[in-house]
Amino acid sequence: MFKKASDAKALQRLSGADRKKLRRNIRERFSLASDADIDVIFPPKAEITIAKLTNRVHVYAVEGGPPIVFDVDGRGTDIFPTVYALWKAPNLLPSFVLKGGEVSRFVIGGADLMFPGISIPPEGLPSFSVGEAWSVKVPGNTYPIAVGATYTSSAEASKAGLRGKALRITHYYRDTLWESAEGRYIPNEGFLEDVVLEDPAYVVASQATGRPESEVINSPDHLQRGIGNDGDTSVQGPKFDPGNETTVLLSAEKESSEQVAKGLEELKVADSIEEEASSGKSQSASLTVEETDALLDKCFLQALHTTVKDKDLPMPGSTLWSNHILACRPPGITLDIKKSSPKKLSKWLQAKSSHGLEKLVKSDNKAMIVLDATLCDALYNGTVKKGLTYPTEIHKKDLGATFLNRMQSNHRVTRGNESAVRKGALKTIQIMTERRQGNKKVTRVSGIESFLIDADALASELQKKFACSTSVAELP
């Protein structure tokens, strides 16, 4: 369904009544979903947008965030969550577990799920009917890689000897819907480019507890609701709350280099995941609040010193977290912001700002940004009249709009393999009728070149479509 990109022909916000209807449809479609699960993917006060694609699919998202659910035909009866939604609320759907991570190559390559590729527990296949929404997981990884609808019922599948197709895959990790998210991310290190394998942190935790991995993965509770219902959240992958996203403004002053170097010296990284596991305990499960805070600070310092570049700033707090801070954690360690003293990413970043690690924030008013020379020129160069002084600070909420207003609008048109980027707004197609030679009427169409439409090809097609004569003439 999302193997090829589909453009959005309309994008709008949902009204209050439509939001309630969407939540009602989700609750009916996902029988395992609780009100808390729905609140996680669609916070009650958040604005929800709907994108109507050219292939009739409706995609719903929290404004400014990744796609959360999609409606196959726009009628509200065939709704599926995206992998982004399942990474936030794994209990939305029951799960099929693959026999091995290598099988995931076929699933994220666009193939449907076959029964021979599913790991069947000793007690047999769980009960399901035709057309139910199920997710797909790999052994040793708590996060789903795909969603789809069942081809048949469990009773019919058992009669057929568990052969043939089990799940019609509608969406998977790395398809065009996943790639359409502006801040796309992966939930843990097991998600690679062409395959999804076990999560290293999960393997360490299972070895530390002494519980066989197959016992955890193939348990009936996992097939019905996913790993983690026994309360052991220490094996979950990295988490953050995009709803409390903070924009990070940093500068490359050198006065913090000594602090960065000191933090890097104190940061001890294990040689390998196996070495971490051989110690006989999971460091992720045993970290105290103080240890989590210290590890967060060290990963933050290392990120500032190694991966965060000036050209990437400013950046959303979620991007800093997923692409930089988590990338600097030691192997086998799971960082969970909820286990730190601030509990939320936004509060933690605000604390770093008060310590001077997050620059350009006014010390006596955290809502204001102090303008350095580079940022002041980017925002106001050429707009301040002669004799007037340049602003020295700006409110955070006005920063983005002011910066965008300085840019020249452009548009891009794509048709097949051809693409064009032009300045200004997109010009519309003009259609007019003219009267010639008495009662004869002629319809004139102009402006089609803006949409990469060949005039001669269009004239030939219209001639066949309407059984009329056509001609092509250049505009004066």
Side-chain angles (χ1 to χ4, degrees):
M1 182 170 295
F2 297 105
K3 292 181 181 180
K4 296 182 180 180
S6 295
D7 297 330
K9 60 182 181 180
L11 179 65
Q12 62 191 50
R13 286 182 177 179
L14 289 186
S15 64
D18 288 336
R19 287 202 298 266
K20 292 180 181 179
K21 181 180 179 181
L22 175 62
R23 294 173 67 92
R24 192 164 56 247
N25 291 339
I26 292 175
R27 192 176 292 107
E28 293 174 356
R29 175 67 171 165
F30 311 148
S31 59
L32 299 181
S34 63
D35 290 339
D37 291 331
I38 299 177
D39 288 341
V40 167
I41 60 174
F42 284 126
K45 296 183 180 180
E47 291 290 347
I48 301 176
T49 61
I50 175 176
K52 298 180 180 180
L53 307 185
T54 53
N55 59 359
R56 298 185 179 180
V57 176
H58 290 183
V59 179
Y60 298 88
V62 175
E63 191 169 46
I68 298 299
V69 298
F70 60 94
D71 188 348
V72 173
D73 54 10
R75 299 177 181 177
T77 57
D78 208 6
I79 298 178
F80 296 89
T82 67
V83 290
Y84 291 112
L86 292 172
W87 294 345
K88 293 181 180 180
N91 296 341
L92 282 176
L93 296 181
S95 304
F96 288 120
V97 181
L98 303 179
K99 287 186 175 179
E102 288 299 320
V103 183
S104 66
R105 293 183 186 273
F106 302 99
V107 177
I108 66 176
D112 289 333
L113 179 61
M114 311 293 286
F115 277 110
I118 299 176
S119 178
I120 307 298
E123 59 274 11
L125 199 66
S127 176
F128 56 85
S129 56
V130 180
E132 286 188 7
W134 280 63
S135 65
V136 181
K137 296 180 180 179
V138 301
N141 205 314
T142 62
Y143 293 97
I145 66 171
V147 295
T150 52
Y151 267 105
T152 183
S153 65
S154 54
E156 292 297 327
S158 299
K159 291 180 182 178
L162 298 181
R163 296 179 181 177
K165 294 183 177 181
L167 203 65
R168 175 176 60 87
I169 300 297
T170 56
H171 161 59
Y172 52 89
Y173 159 65
R174 297 199 70 84
D175 67 2
T176 58
L177 182 59
W178 177 85
E179 290 180 344
S180 68
E182 184 174 348
R184 56 181 180 267
Y185 64 94
I186 57 175
N188 59 51
E189 296 174 357
F191 281 71
L192 305 179
E193 184 173 353
D194 59 348
V195 68
V196 180
L197 304 175
E198 57 194 10
D199 178 14
Y202 177 82
V203 175
V204 171
S206 62
Q207 291 176 349
T209 57
R211 188 178 180 185
E213 185 177 320
S214 59
E215 177 186 335
V216 178
I217 292 296
N218 293 326
S219 64
D221 183 59
H222 173 254
L223 277 173
Q224 290 297 325
R225 292 187 173 269
I227 299 174
N229 290 332
D230 54 0
D232 183 12
T233 59
S234 63
V235 301
Q236 299 290 339
K239 303 173 184 176
F240 71 93
D241 187 359
N244 297 290
E245 194 167 297
T246 302
T247 299
V248 182
L249 296 169
L250 305 167
S251 62
E253 285 85 349
K254 300 299 183 182
E255 63 263 18
S256 62
S257 60
E258 295 181 0
Q259 188 177 5
V260 173
K262 182 179 178 181
L264 290 175
E265 290 175 358
E266 296 174 355
L267 185 61
K268 296 181 180 180
V269 181
D271 292 336
S272 66
I273 296 175
E274 289 76 11
E275 177 184 336
E276 203 70 44
S278 62
S279 63
K281 65 177 181 178
S282 169
Q283 291 193 19
S284 304
S286 61
L287 288 179
T288 63
V289 174
E290 293 76 14
E291 290 172 338
T292 301
D293 290 342
L295 185 58
L296 281 171
D297 290 343
K298 292 176 181 179
C299 293
F300 185 40
L301 291 172
Q302 185 176 357
L304 295 183
H305 189 68
T306 57
T307 64
V308 177
K309 308 299 180 184
D310 288 347
K311 63 182 179 65
D312 299 328
L313 301 173
M315 71 173 63
S318 59
T319 303
L320 175 70
W321 172 261
S322 58
N323 294 353
H324 299 281
I325 296 178
L326 291 181
C328 294
R329 56 192 170 141
I333 296 295
T334 299
L335 273 180
D336 189 348
I337 194 68
K338 293 182 179 179
K339 292 186 177 180
S340 65
S341 52
K343 304 294 185 184
K344 291 185 177 180
L345 181 62
S346 57
K347 292 183 178 179
W348 180 73
L349 289 174
Q350 290 170 3
K352 298 302 103 181
S353 173
S354 63
H355 294 160
L357 292 176
E358 191 178 353
K359 305 299 179 179
L360 303 183
V361 178
K362 194 173 183 180
S363 58
D364 57 346
N365 187 355
K366 304 300 182 182
M368 302 300 294
I369 299 295
V370 178
L371 299 177
D372 61 6
T374 303
L375 189 56
C376 186
D377 282 345
L379 296 178
Y380 298 108
N381 187 24
T383 62
V384 178
K385 295 182 179 180
K386 189 175 182 180
L388 300 179
T389 58
Y390 281 81
T392 58
E393 59 186 38
I394 186 174
H395 199 282
K396 281 184 177 179
K397 67 179 183 180
D398 298 328
L399 179 62
T402 305
F403 189 74
L404 290 177
N405 288 336
R406 293 279 293 167
M407 299 182 179
Q408 183 180 28
S409 62
N410 289 264
H411 67 273
R412 177 169 61 189
V413 177
T414 302
R415 179 174 295 276
N417 297 326
E418 187 179 1
S419 181
V421 178
R422 301 187 180 97
K423 295 181 181 179
L426 179 64
K427 297 180 180 179
T428 59
I429 294 178
Q430 302 293 324
I431 303 177
M432 299 179 294
T433 57
E434 297 178 353
R435 188 183 298 275
R436 293 182 181 177
Q437 298 177 357
N439 200 31
K440 183 179 179 181
K441 292 182 179 179
V442 176
T443 302
R444 174 178 290 182
V445 181
S446 61
I448 59 176
E449 292 82 4
S450 300
F451 294 85
L452 304 181
I453 300 175
D454 182 79
D456 292 322
L458 178 63
S460 176
E461 184 66 24
L462 293 178
Q463 183 180 19
K464 298 175 184 177
K465 182 74 174 179
F466 299 110
C468 64
S469 61
T470 59
S471 62
V472 178
E474 293 185 2
L475 292 176

